[in-house]
C-alpha cells in the first residue's frame, strides 16, 4: 500500500515566479500583440502587484474608444494575446 | 481519409439558446440576434463571435461578446445579468450534435455606451466550450 503524499505549497516561490522578469516580458509581449491587433490608439501598461504582474491594454484615444464601441476592435483582438 | 469535426455557428446557436431559456426563465419574448437588427427593438441581445480557438479535434472554444441593449442603463444592466444567468445554465446543454461542455466568463457585464444611438448597452465576454459529434470525411 502506498504511503500518504503530503504536498506543501511554496507560496513565496509561487509569488516570485508570478512576478519574475520573464513572466512580465511574456505578458508585455502578449499585451503588445493585442494592442497591435486592435489598431492605433491602444496603450499597454504593466504593473507589479503584491502577488503577480498585471498587464492591461486600454483604449487611449477617442478614435480607439469609438472603434471598440462600434466594431469591438479591442475585444476582437483578444486572440492575439493567446499566441505563444 | 480523415474525419474532421464540424462546429456550429456558435453566435447563432447561443443566441437561439438564450432566447429559449430566457423566455422559460423570465417569461418575456426576448429578441436575440448575431447582428444589429434594423429597425432596433426597444430591447434585444446581440451575440458576436469575436474569436476563440479549437482546443482539440472535437472541441471548439469560441469567444462570444454578448451585448444587452435596452432603453435605460438600469434595464440594460439587469438584462445583462439575466443573460449571464441563462448562459451559465447552458453548461451540459445539447443542440443537434453539439454539447456545451463548459461556460467560462472572460469579462463580466460592463457599461459600453453606443456612440451611434441613444440605446443603453451592457456587454460581457464568454468562452463557451463546445464538443462536436458531427464530422465530415475528407480525403
Amino acid at each position: 500500500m502506498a504511503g500518504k503524499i503530503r504536498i506543501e505549497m511554496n507560496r513565496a516561490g509561487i509569488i516570485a515566479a508570478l512576478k519574475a522578469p520573464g513572466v512580465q516580458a511574456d505578458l508585455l509581449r502578449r499585451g503588445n500583440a493585442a494592442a497591435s491587433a486592435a489598431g492605433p490608439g491602444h496603450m499597454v501598461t504593466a504593473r507589479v502587484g503584491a502577488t503577480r504582474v498585471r498587464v492591461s491594454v486600454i483604449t487611449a484615444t477617442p478614435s480607439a474608444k469609438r472603434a471598440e464601441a462600434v466594431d469591438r476592435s479591442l475585444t476582437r483582438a483578444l486572440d492575439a494575446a493567446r499566441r505563444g | 481519409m480523415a474525419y474532421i469535426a464540424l462546429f456550429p455557428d456558435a453566435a447563432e446557436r447561443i443566441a437561439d439558446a438564450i432566447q429559449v431559456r430566457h423566455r422559460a426563465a423570465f417569461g418575456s419574448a426576448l429578441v436575440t440576434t448575431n447582428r444589429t437588427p434594423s429597425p432596433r427593438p426597444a430591447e434585444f441581445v446581440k451575440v458576436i463571435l469575436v474569436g476563440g480557438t479549437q482546443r482539440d479535434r472535437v472541441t471548439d472554444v469560441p469567444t462570444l461578446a454578448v451585448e444587452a441593449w435596452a432603453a435605460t442603463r438600469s434595464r440594460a444592466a439587469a438584462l445583462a445579468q439575466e443573460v449571464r444567468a441563462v448562459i451559465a445554465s447552458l453548461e451540459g446543454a445539447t443542440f443537434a450534435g453539439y454539447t456545451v461542455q463548459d461556460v467560462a466568463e472572460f469579462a463580466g457585464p460592463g457599461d459600453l455606451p453606443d456612440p451611434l444611438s441613444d440605446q443603453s448597452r451592457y456587454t460581457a465576454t464568454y468562452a463557451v466550450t463546445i464538443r462536436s459529434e458531427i464530422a465530415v470525411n475528407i480525403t
Side-chain angles (χ1 to χ4, degrees), chain A residues 65-66 68-70 72 75-79 82, chain B residues 48-52 63 67 106 115-116 121 123:
Chain A
K65 293 180 196 302
R66 183 180 172 86
E68 170 61 6
V70 176
R72 309 305 304 268
T75 303
R76 291 179 192 276
L78 288 174
D79 282 344
R82 289 194 172 109
Chain B
I48 312 163
L49 178 64
V50 294
T63 305
E67 299 179 344
F106 191 89
L116 305 179
R121 171 178 57 178
T123 182

Side-chain angles (χ1 to χ4, degrees), chain A residues 9-56:
Chain A
M9 303 299 288
N10 181 349
R11 182 172 165 78
I14 291 170
I15 291 173
L18 291 173
K19 296 165 75 171
V23 171
Q24 182 169 350
D26 181 64
L27 290 177
L28 269 173
R29 179 185 62 77
R30 292 174 186 275
N32 284 324
S36 178
H42 294 84
M43 189 171 77
V44 181
T45 58
R47 186 173 67 86
V48 181
T51 59
R52 67 197 67 205
V53 176
R54 289 186 175 85
V55 168
S56 304

Side-chain angles (χ1 to χ4, degrees), chain B residues 39-52:
Chain B
R40 296 185 188 199
E43 201 169 292
F44 65 98
V45 167
K46 181 178 170 184
V47 181
I48 312 163
L49 178 64
V50 294

Side-chain angles (χ1 to χ4, degrees), chain B residues 83-103:
Chain B
V83 171
R84 186 187 211 180
V86 168
I87 289 175
S89 81
L90 292 177
E91 199 168 303
T94 58
F95 315 101
Y98 305 107
T99 301
V100 177
Q101 286 192 322
D102 183 55
V103 176

